[in-house]
Amino acid sequence: NAGVMQNPRHLVRRRGQEARLRCSPMKGHSHVYWYRQLPEEGLKFMVYLQKENIIDESGMPKERFSAEFPKEGPSILRIQQVVRGDSAAYFCASSEGQGGTDTQYFGPGTRLTVL
Amino acid sequence: GDSVTQMEGPVTLSEEAFLTINCTYTATGYPSLFWYVQYPGEGLQLLLKATKADDKGSNKGFEATYRKETTSFHLEKGSVQVSDSAVYFCALWGGYNKLIFGAGTRLAVHP
């Protein structure tokens, strides 16, 4: 059973460009979470999605950031008009169910660098 | 709101030394508690977890006990190896759709 897949692993963008980060959850998992890790810091929750629904986006900036998890295909985290402060590692996690007893499995992350 | 506090690193040990990484939490209710490990350039891997008070999670020689009275979940290992060098994150699930992480503690083990 393949783990959580993320691509690209590394992404370089210039200020003002768009960044698209993709996440394929583990097989059989319908819950996806996105977290952001700034250098030398812990992970901060951004958004929680189930298939075709955003359940909780309380950690996501209101502007420029959006996320989706379509019926078919990977979950996408989209950052429009990137700024230097968006440089970070973005991790996706998936779980079979929702709640503390269902382990979240993390992908390898996408490291975004904004020049 | 819910939060997790970890001891600051880096923690530097010699091989076969005893390891303790402190973790305390603030939460309403009774959260599930986790330790994750992150090796350089990789994502997080679940190391162990405990879902209720007095539970002990264990894996690969690491242990942590859920102490409700002290709101703690300290990570311990009796004899560390060079391969244990990584960043360790304590986290809680408070029932609000997300894991809340501590800032992480970097461990460096020297031969």
Side-chain angles (χ1 to χ4, degrees):
Chain A
N1 190 7
V4 177
M5 311 279 282
Q6 288 187 251
N7 66 79
R9 294 291 304 274
H10 299 275
L11 183 60
V12 179
R13 286 287 178 265
R14 297 191 180 280
R15 279 179 297 171
Q17 292 184 318
E18 178 180 287
R20 267 181 197 250
L21 288 61
R22 286 177 289 278
C23 168
S24 296
M26 286 180 69
K27 189 176 180 181
H29 287 191
S30 59
H31 301 255
V32 166
Y33 310 80
W34 285 92
Y35 294 84
R36 178 165 62 177
Q37 183 181 33
L38 295 171
E40 303 301 319
E41 292 189 15
L43 279 71
K44 297 285 194 287
F45 168 79
M46 298 182 74
V47 61
Y48 162 46
L49 310 102
Q50 293 181 30
K51 282 286 187 182
E52 301 184 275
N53 289 303
I54 296 174
I55 307 301
D56 180 354
E57 56 183 350
S58 59
M60 201 152 69
K62 295 286 188 287
E63 297 180 357
R64 303 188 298 107
F65 286 72
S66 62
E68 62 178 17
F69 188 16
K71 187 177 179 181
E72 302 290 337
S75 176
I76 306 285
L77 179 67
R78 183 180 176 210
I79 311 171
Q80 296 178 291
Q81 300 176 315
V82 295
V83 301
R84 288 224 174 98
D86 297 332
S87 294
Y90 292 82
F91 290 96
C92 168
S94 73
S95 65
E96 187 173 4
Q98 187 263 348
T101 56
D102 286 290
T103 299
Q104 290 188 20
Y105 294 89
F106 283 78
T110 294
R111 280 154 182 82
L112 172 65
T113 301
V114 180
L115 302 178
Chain B
D2 295 354
S3 66
V4 175
T5 302
Q6 289 182 237
M7 64 187 286
E8 287 190 23
V11 173
T12 304
L13 295 173
S14 298
E15 208 165 23
E16 298 184 4
F18 184 85
L19 168 71
T20 300
I21 300 178
N22 290 339
C23 171
T24 57
Y25 67 90
T26 302
T28 53
Y30 304 100
S32 296
L33 300 172
F34 304 81
W35 277 101
Y36 280 84
V37 58
Q38 184 179 31
Y39 297 100
E42 298 184 11
L44 276 70
Q45 300 174 27
L46 178 67
L47 184 58
L48 53 85
K49 68 179 185 181
T51 57
K52 61 183 188 295
D54 299 326
D55 266 3
K56 178 186 282 188
S58 61
N59 185 26
K60 299 180 182 178
F62 292 89
E63 293 183 340
T65 301
Y66 188 158
R67 301 282 188 206
K68 190 177 76 169
E69 62 276 12
T70 54
T71 61
S72 64
F73 193 54
H74 303 322
L75 182 68
E76 297 182 336
K77 187 176 186 183
S79 176
V80 293
Q81 306 300 313
V82 172
S83 58
D84 293 326
S85 298
V87 180
Y88 292 81
F89 291 95
C90 185
L92 71 82
W93 174 274
Y96 296 104
N97 301 322
K98 56 178 142 318
L99 284 169
I100 296 171
F101 286 88
T105 303
R106 184 176 300 277
L107 170 66
V109 181
H110 299 290

